[in-house]
Amino acid sequence: QLQASGGGLVQAGGSLRLSCAASGRTFSRYVMGWFRQAPGKEREIVAAIAASGSTYYADSVKGRFTISRDNAENTVYLQMNSLKPEDTAVYYCAAVQRWLIRSPSGYDYWGQGTLVTVSS
């Protein structure tokens, strides 16, 4: 199971850190991804981190967002800086055992989502 948290309301230019806590003893083997879905839009990948620590970022968030993981705590984080109104969405964490999967349909496990609202 995946449990996402940390969303909220923030002004443009502000920061938030999302967390995704995973249950189970094999967390370290999984590729963890963060996705987002804005109203009326398709779910899209934001960032992913491999078991090795390799990372991927969507072009829209490069230089502003940082994904990290703490395998001892079974948690993956998404540090979001310089937030923009277009970052407003429900953010989901997901897990898969292959690298690199960009499509949401390729992920096996999903958290419940946490809402991020960025005001202008």
Side-chain angles (χ1 to χ4, degrees), residues 1-7 18-22 34-35 37 43 89-94 109-115:
Q1 288 185 335
L2 301 175
Q3 183 76 28
S5 61
L18 306 183
S19 299
C20 175
W34 283 100
F35 289 77
Q37 188 166 18
R43 192 170 298 189
V90 177
Y91 283 71
Y92 300 88
C93 58
Y109 303 100
W110 288 87
Q112 84 288 3
T114 184
L115 177 62

PDB file of all heavy atoms in Angstrom, residues 1-7 18-22 34-35 37 43 89-94 109-115:
ATOM      1  N   GLN A   1       0.831  -1.197   0.000  1.00  0.00           N
ATOM      2  CA  GLN A   1       0.000   0.000   0.000  1.00  0.00           C
ATOM      3  C   GLN A   1       0.868   1.250   0.000  1.00  0.00           C
ATOM      4  O   GLN A   1       1.950   1.255   0.559  1.00  0.00           O
ATOM      5  CB  GLN A   1      -0.898   0.024   1.233  1.00  0.00           C
ATOM      6  CG  GLN A   1      -2.035  -0.989   1.177  1.00  0.00           C
ATOM      7  CD  GLN A   1      -2.972  -0.830   2.367  1.00  0.00           C
ATOM      8  OE1 GLN A   1      -2.590  -0.330   3.416  1.00  0.00           O
ATOM      9  NE2 GLN A   1      -4.195  -1.285   2.197  1.00  0.00           N
ATOM     10  N   LEU A   2       0.350   2.283  -0.668  1.00  0.00           N
ATOM     11  CA  LEU A   2       1.037   3.565  -0.738  1.00  0.00           C
ATOM     12  C   LEU A   2       0.133   4.635  -0.159  1.00  0.00           C
ATOM     13  O   LEU A   2      -1.058   4.672  -0.460  1.00  0.00           O
ATOM     14  CB  LEU A   2       1.385   3.899  -2.188  1.00  0.00           C
ATOM     15  CG  LEU A   2       2.270   2.901  -2.932  1.00  0.00           C
ATOM     16  CD1 LEU A   2       2.426   3.306  -4.386  1.00  0.00           C
ATOM     17  CD2 LEU A   2       3.619   2.767  -2.262  1.00  0.00           C
ATOM     18  N   GLN A   3       0.704   5.508   0.646  1.00  0.00           N
ATOM     19  CA  GLN A   3      -0.055   6.573   1.293  1.00  0.00           C
ATOM     20  C   GLN A   3       0.652   7.889   1.023  1.00  0.00           C
ATOM     21  O   GLN A   3       1.719   8.152   1.570  1.00  0.00           O
ATOM     22  CB  GLN A   3      -0.143   6.310   2.798  1.00  0.00           C
ATOM     23  CG  GLN A   3      -0.964   7.324   3.562  1.00  0.00           C
ATOM     24  CD  GLN A   3      -2.447   7.136   3.371  1.00  0.00           C
ATOM     25  OE1 GLN A   3      -2.913   6.029   3.119  1.00  0.00           O
ATOM     26  NE2 GLN A   3      -3.203   8.211   3.477  1.00  0.00           N
ATOM     27  N   ALA A   4       0.017   8.724   0.201  1.00  0.00           N
ATOM     28  CA  ALA A   4       0.588  10.024  -0.140  1.00  0.00           C
ATOM     29  C   ALA A   4       0.067  11.101   0.802  1.00  0.00           C
ATOM     30  O   ALA A   4      -1.080  11.045   1.248  1.00  0.00           O
ATOM     31  CB  ALA A   4       0.248  10.391  -1.580  1.00  0.00           C
ATOM     32  N   SER A   5       0.920  12.080   1.082  1.00  0.00           N
ATOM     33  CA  SER A   5       0.521  13.184   1.953  1.00  0.00           C
ATOM     34  C   SER A   5       1.369  14.409   1.623  1.00  0.00           C
ATOM     35  O   SER A   5       2.358  14.310   0.885  1.00  0.00           O
ATOM     36  CB  SER A   5       0.699  12.801   3.420  1.00  0.00           C
ATOM     37  OG  SER A   5       2.050  12.510   3.704  1.00  0.00           O
ATOM     38  N   GLY A   6       0.977  15.541   2.196  1.00  0.00           N
ATOM     39  CA  GLY A   6       1.780  16.749   2.060  1.00  0.00           C
ATOM     40  C   GLY A   6       1.209  17.811   1.150  1.00  0.00           C
ATOM     41  O   GLY A   6       1.786  18.891   1.030  1.00  0.00           O
ATOM     42  N   GLY A   7       0.112  17.520   0.497  1.00  0.00           N
ATOM     43  CA  GLY A   7      -0.486  18.515  -0.377  1.00  0.00           C
ATOM     44  C   GLY A   7      -1.088  19.661   0.413  1.00  0.00           C
ATOM     45  O   GLY A   7      -1.198  19.615   1.635  1.00  0.00           O
ATOM     46  N   LEU A  18       5.950  16.665  -0.791  1.00  0.00           N
ATOM     47  CA  LEU A  18       5.040  15.523  -0.734  1.00  0.00           C
ATOM     48  C   LEU A  18       5.790  14.302  -0.235  1.00  0.00           C
ATOM     49  O   LEU A  18       6.980  14.124  -0.524  1.00  0.00           O
ATOM     50  CB  LEU A  18       4.446  15.234  -2.108  1.00  0.00           C
ATOM     51  CG  LEU A  18       3.745  16.395  -2.812  1.00  0.00           C
ATOM     52  CD1 LEU A  18       3.142  15.906  -4.128  1.00  0.00           C
ATOM     53  CD2 LEU A  18       2.693  17.025  -1.931  1.00  0.00           C
ATOM     54  N   SER A  19       5.078  13.468   0.486  1.00  0.00           N
ATOM     55  CA  SER A  19       5.641  12.210   0.978  1.00  0.00           C
ATOM     56  C   SER A  19       4.746  11.064   0.537  1.00  0.00           C
ATOM     57  O   SER A  19       3.529  11.228   0.409  1.00  0.00           O
ATOM     58  CB  SER A  19       5.728  12.213   2.508  1.00  0.00           C
ATOM     59  OG  SER A  19       6.564  13.254   2.966  1.00  0.00           O
ATOM     60  N   CYS A  20       5.346   9.929   0.345  1.00  0.00           N
ATOM     61  CA  CYS A  20       4.591   8.719   0.001  1.00  0.00           C
ATOM     62  C   CYS A  20       5.183   7.584   0.819  1.00  0.00           C
ATOM     63  O   CYS A  20       6.328   7.169   0.586  1.00  0.00           O
ATOM     64  CB  CYS A  20       4.679   8.432  -1.480  1.00  0.00           C
ATOM     65  SG  CYS A  20       3.894   6.886  -1.979  1.00  0.00           S
ATOM     66  N   ALA A  21       4.420   7.113   1.779  1.00  0.00           N
ATOM     67  CA  ALA A  21       4.873   6.024   2.640  1.00  0.00           C
ATOM     68  C   ALA A  21       4.373   4.699   2.084  1.00  0.00           C
ATOM     69  O   ALA A  21       3.190   4.560   1.744  1.00  0.00           O
ATOM     70  CB  ALA A  21       4.351   6.235   4.055  1.00  0.00           C
ATOM     71  N   ALA A  22       5.262   3.740   2.009  1.00  0.00           N
ATOM     72  CA  ALA A  22       4.926   2.431   1.460  1.00  0.00           C
ATOM     73  C   ALA A  22       4.998   1.371   2.540  1.00  0.00           C
ATOM     74  O   ALA A  22       5.846   1.430   3.436  1.00  0.00           O
ATOM     75  CB  ALA A  22       5.882   2.085   0.332  1.00  0.00           C
ATOM     76  N   TRP A  34       6.059   9.733  -9.228  1.00  0.00           N
ATOM     77  CA  TRP A  34       5.037  10.730  -8.877  1.00  0.00           C
ATOM     78  C   TRP A  34       4.332  11.146 -10.171  1.00  0.00           C
ATOM     79  O   TRP A  34       4.994  11.467 -11.168  1.00  0.00           O
ATOM     80  CB  TRP A  34       5.651  11.957  -8.216  1.00  0.00           C
ATOM     81  CG  TRP A  34       6.024  11.765  -6.784  1.00  0.00           C
ATOM     82  CD1 TRP A  34       7.262  11.513  -6.277  1.00  0.00           C
ATOM     83  CD2 TRP A  34       5.139  11.812  -5.661  1.00  0.00           C
ATOM     84  NE1 TRP A  34       7.205  11.402  -4.912  1.00  0.00           N
ATOM     85  CE2 TRP A  34       5.902  11.575  -4.498  1.00  0.00           C
ATOM     86  CE3 TRP A  34       3.769  12.030  -5.502  1.00  0.00           C
ATOM     87  CZ2 TRP A  34       5.363  11.566  -3.210  1.00  0.00           C
ATOM     88  CZ3 TRP A  34       3.231  12.016  -4.232  1.00  0.00           C
ATOM     89  CH2 TRP A  34       4.013  11.783  -3.105  1.00  0.00           C
ATOM     90  N   PHE A  35       3.015  11.133 -10.120  1.00  0.00           N
ATOM     91  CA  PHE A  35       2.185  11.561 -11.233  1.00  0.00           C
ATOM     92  C   PHE A  35       1.283  12.690 -10.744  1.00  0.00           C
ATOM     93  O   PHE A  35       1.102  12.880  -9.551  1.00  0.00           O
ATOM     94  CB  PHE A  35       1.312  10.399 -11.730  1.00  0.00           C
ATOM     95  CG  PHE A  35       2.081   9.326 -12.450  1.00  0.00           C
ATOM     96  CD1 PHE A  35       2.829   8.399 -11.750  1.00  0.00           C
ATOM     97  CD2 PHE A  35       2.049   9.253 -13.833  1.00  0.00           C
ATOM     98  CE1 PHE A  35       3.544   7.410 -12.415  1.00  0.00           C
ATOM     99  CE2 PHE A  35       2.744   8.272 -14.507  1.00  0.00           C
ATOM    100  CZ  PHE A  35       3.496   7.343 -13.797  1.00  0.00           C
ATOM    101  N   GLN A  37      -2.565  14.833 -11.909  1.00  0.00           N
ATOM    102  CA  GLN A  37      -3.715  14.944 -12.794  1.00  0.00           C
ATOM    103  C   GLN A  37      -4.462  16.218 -12.464  1.00  0.00           C
ATOM    104  O   GLN A  37      -5.013  16.357 -11.368  1.00  0.00           O
ATOM    105  CB  GLN A  37      -4.627  13.728 -12.671  1.00  0.00           C
ATOM    106  CG  GLN A  37      -5.731  13.695 -13.706  1.00  0.00           C
ATOM    107  CD  GLN A  37      -6.394  12.338 -13.791  1.00  0.00           C
ATOM    108  OE1 GLN A  37      -6.295  11.514 -12.895  1.00  0.00           O
ATOM    109  NE2 GLN A  37      -7.077  12.096 -14.897  1.00  0.00           N
ATOM    110  N   ARG A  43      -3.674  11.998 -16.612  1.00  0.00           N
ATOM    111  CA  ARG A  43      -2.636  11.833 -15.611  1.00  0.00           C
ATOM    112  C   ARG A  43      -1.269  11.784 -16.318  1.00  0.00           C
ATOM    113  O   ARG A  43      -1.114  11.096 -17.332  1.00  0.00           O
ATOM    114  CB  ARG A  43      -2.874  10.548 -14.818  1.00  0.00           C
ATOM    115  CG  ARG A  43      -2.041  10.422 -13.577  1.00  0.00           C
ATOM    116  CD  ARG A  43      -2.505   9.245 -12.724  1.00  0.00           C
ATOM    117  NE  ARG A  43      -3.882   9.423 -12.264  1.00  0.00           N
ATOM    118  CZ  ARG A  43      -4.473   8.632 -11.376  1.00  0.00           C
ATOM    119  NH1 ARG A  43      -3.790   7.618 -10.841  1.00  0.00           N
ATOM    120  NH2 ARG A  43      -5.726   8.842 -11.038  1.00  0.00           N
ATOM    121  N   ALA A  89      -2.849  20.337  -9.170  1.00  0.00           N
ATOM    122  CA  ALA A  89      -3.303  19.012  -9.590  1.00  0.00           C
ATOM    123  C   ALA A  89      -3.406  18.123  -8.356  1.00  0.00           C
ATOM    124  O   ALA A  89      -2.938  18.479  -7.267  1.00  0.00           O
ATOM    125  CB  ALA A  89      -2.321  18.392 -10.575  1.00  0.00           C
ATOM    126  N   VAL A  90      -3.998  16.968  -8.562  1.00  0.00           N
ATOM    127  CA  VAL A  90      -3.905  15.901  -7.572  1.00  0.00           C
ATOM    128  C   VAL A  90      -2.643  15.114  -7.904  1.00  0.00           C
ATOM    129  O   VAL A  90      -2.453  14.691  -9.048  1.00  0.00           O
ATOM    130  CB  VAL A  90      -5.132  14.985  -7.594  1.00  0.00           C
ATOM    131  CG1 VAL A  90      -4.957  13.841  -6.604  1.00  0.00           C
ATOM    132  CG2 VAL A  90      -6.398  15.781  -7.273  1.00  0.00           C
ATOM    133  N   TYR A  91      -1.803  14.938  -6.903  1.00  0.00           N
ATOM    134  CA  TYR A  91      -0.538  14.240  -7.091  1.00  0.00           C
ATOM    135  C   TYR A  91      -0.646  12.831  -6.505  1.00  0.00           C
ATOM    136  O   TYR A  91      -1.141  12.649  -5.387  1.00  0.00           O
ATOM    137  CB  TYR A  91       0.598  15.000  -6.409  1.00  0.00           C
ATOM    138  CG  TYR A  91       1.033  16.205  -7.202  1.00  0.00           C
ATOM    139  CD1 TYR A  91       0.219  17.335  -7.298  1.00  0.00           C
ATOM    140  CD2 TYR A  91       2.256  16.230  -7.874  1.00  0.00           C
ATOM    141  CE1 TYR A  91       0.601  18.439  -8.045  1.00  0.00           C
ATOM    142  CE2 TYR A  91       2.653  17.332  -8.611  1.00  0.00           C
ATOM    143  CZ  TYR A  91       1.819  18.432  -8.697  1.00  0.00           C
ATOM    144  OH  TYR A  91       2.200  19.533  -9.436  1.00  0.00           O
ATOM    145  N   TYR A  92      -0.173  11.876  -7.277  1.00  0.00           N
ATOM    146  CA  TYR A  92      -0.222  10.470  -6.897  1.00  0.00           C
ATOM    147  C   TYR A  92       1.187   9.878  -6.887  1.00  0.00           C
ATOM    148  O   TYR A  92       2.004  10.203  -7.754  1.00  0.00           O
ATOM    149  CB  TYR A  92      -1.046   9.673  -7.899  1.00  0.00           C
ATOM    150  CG  TYR A  92      -2.481  10.096  -8.048  1.00  0.00           C
ATOM    151  CD1 TYR A  92      -2.846  11.089  -8.951  1.00  0.00           C
ATOM    152  CD2 TYR A  92      -3.486   9.485  -7.299  1.00  0.00           C
ATOM    153  CE1 TYR A  92      -4.161  11.474  -9.113  1.00  0.00           C
ATOM    154  CE2 TYR A  92      -4.811   9.862  -7.451  1.00  0.00           C
ATOM    155  CZ  TYR A  92      -5.141  10.854  -8.357  1.00  0.00           C
ATOM    156  OH  TYR A  92      -6.452  11.226  -8.500  1.00  0.00           O
ATOM    157  N   CYS A  93       1.433   8.985  -5.956  1.00  0.00           N
ATOM    158  CA  CYS A  93       2.647   8.189  -6.028  1.00  0.00           C
ATOM    159  C   CYS A  93       2.284   6.792  -6.528  1.00  0.00           C
ATOM    160  O   CYS A  93       1.147   6.338  -6.358  1.00  0.00           O
ATOM    161  CB  CYS A  93       3.361   8.111  -4.680  1.00  0.00           C
ATOM    162  SG  CYS A  93       2.397   7.428  -3.333  1.00  0.00           S
ATOM    163  N   ALA A  94       3.237   6.156  -7.159  1.00  0.00           N
ATOM    164  CA  ALA A  94       2.990   4.848  -7.755  1.00  0.00           C
ATOM    165  C   ALA A  94       4.281   4.045  -7.749  1.00  0.00           C
ATOM    166  O   ALA A  94       5.376   4.608  -7.631  1.00  0.00           O
ATOM    167  CB  ALA A  94       2.463   5.002  -9.181  1.00  0.00           C
ATOM    168  N   TYR A 109       1.089  -0.262  -8.509  1.00  0.00           N
ATOM    169  CA  TYR A 109       0.491   0.136  -7.231  1.00  0.00           C
ATOM    170  C   TYR A 109       0.366   1.656  -7.188  1.00  0.00           C
ATOM    171  O   TYR A 109       1.259   2.368  -7.649  1.00  0.00           O
ATOM    172  CB  TYR A 109       1.359  -0.350  -6.059  1.00  0.00           C
ATOM    173  CG  TYR A 109       1.581  -1.833  -6.064  1.00  0.00           C
ATOM    174  CD1 TYR A 109       2.767  -2.373  -6.545  1.00  0.00           C
ATOM    175  CD2 TYR A 109       0.582  -2.701  -5.605  1.00  0.00           C
ATOM    176  CE1 TYR A 109       2.975  -3.736  -6.577  1.00  0.00           C
ATOM    177  CE2 TYR A 109       0.793  -4.074  -5.632  1.00  0.00           C
ATOM    178  CZ  TYR A 109       1.985  -4.585  -6.118  1.00  0.00           C
ATOM    179  OH  TYR A 109       2.189  -5.939  -6.140  1.00  0.00           O
ATOM    180  N   TRP A 110      -0.730   2.113  -6.573  1.00  0.00           N
ATOM    181  CA  TRP A 110      -1.027   3.542  -6.523  1.00  0.00           C
ATOM    182  C   TRP A 110      -1.432   3.970  -5.131  1.00  0.00           C
ATOM    183  O   TRP A 110      -2.128   3.228  -4.432  1.00  0.00           O
ATOM    184  CB  TRP A 110      -2.164   3.882  -7.496  1.00  0.00           C
ATOM    185  CG  TRP A 110      -1.737   3.812  -8.932  1.00  0.00           C
ATOM    186  CD1 TRP A 110      -1.741   2.702  -9.737  1.00  0.00           C
ATOM    187  CD2 TRP A 110      -1.226   4.880  -9.710  1.00  0.00           C
ATOM    188  NE1 TRP A 110      -1.255   3.027 -10.977  1.00  0.00           N
ATOM    189  CE2 TRP A 110      -0.935   4.352 -10.993  1.00  0.00           C
ATOM    190  CE3 TRP A 110      -0.971   6.229  -9.461  1.00  0.00           C
ATOM    191  CZ2 TRP A 110      -0.415   5.143 -12.026  1.00  0.00           C
ATOM    192  CZ3 TRP A 110      -0.459   7.008 -10.485  1.00  0.00           C
ATOM    193  CH2 TRP A 110      -0.186   6.466 -11.744  1.00  0.00           C
ATOM    194  N   GLY A 111      -1.021   5.194  -4.777  1.00  0.00           N
ATOM    195  CA  GLY A 111      -1.531   5.831  -3.585  1.00  0.00           C
ATOM    196  C   GLY A 111      -2.830   6.537  -3.901  1.00  0.00           C
ATOM    197  O   GLY A 111      -3.281   6.579  -5.054  1.00  0.00           O
ATOM    198  N   GLN A 112      -3.428   7.138  -2.887  1.00  0.00           N
ATOM    199  CA  GLN A 112      -4.756   7.718  -3.025  1.00  0.00           C
ATOM    200  C   GLN A 112      -4.764   9.125  -3.574  1.00  0.00           C
ATOM    201  O   GLN A 112      -5.826   9.613  -3.932  1.00  0.00           O
ATOM    202  CB  GLN A 112      -5.469   7.713  -1.657  1.00  0.00           C
ATOM    203  CG  GLN A 112      -5.149   8.892  -0.756  1.00  0.00           C
ATOM    204  CD  GLN A 112      -3.755   8.862  -0.171  1.00  0.00           C
ATOM    205  OE1 GLN A 112      -2.946   7.992  -0.445  1.00  0.00           O
ATOM    206  NE2 GLN A 112      -3.457   9.863   0.648  1.00  0.00           N
ATOM    207  N   GLY A 113      -3.627   9.793  -3.672  1.00  0.00           N
ATOM    208  CA  GLY A 113      -3.576  11.139  -4.205  1.00  0.00           C
ATOM    209  C   GLY A 113      -3.641  12.200  -3.129  1.00  0.00           C
ATOM    210  O   GLY A 113      -4.305  12.025  -2.100  1.00  0.00           O
ATOM    211  N   THR A 114      -2.938  13.298  -3.389  1.00  0.00           N
ATOM    212  CA  THR A 114      -2.973  14.444  -2.485  1.00  0.00           C
ATOM    213  C   THR A 114      -3.061  15.704  -3.340  1.00  0.00           C
ATOM    214  O   THR A 114      -2.359  15.832  -4.343  1.00  0.00           O
ATOM    215  CB  THR A 114      -1.732  14.457  -1.560  1.00  0.00           C
ATOM    216  OG1 THR A 114      -1.834  15.528  -0.627  1.00  0.00           O
ATOM    217  CG2 THR A 114      -0.421  14.572  -2.333  1.00  0.00           C
ATOM    218  N   LEU A 115      -3.941  16.620  -2.953  1.00  0.00           N
ATOM    219  CA  LEU A 115      -4.233  17.788  -3.771  1.00  0.00           C
ATOM    220  C   LEU A 115      -3.236  18.909  -3.501  1.00  0.00           C
ATOM    221  O   LEU A 115      -3.023  19.296  -2.349  1.00  0.00           O
ATOM    222  CB  LEU A 115      -5.648  18.285  -3.497  1.00  0.00           C
ATOM    223  CG  LEU A 115      -6.083  19.562  -4.224  1.00  0.00           C
ATOM    224  CD1 LEU A 115      -6.074  19.357  -5.736  1.00  0.00           C
ATOM    225  CD2 LEU A 115      -7.463  19.999  -3.743  1.00  0.00           C
TER     226      LEU A 115
END
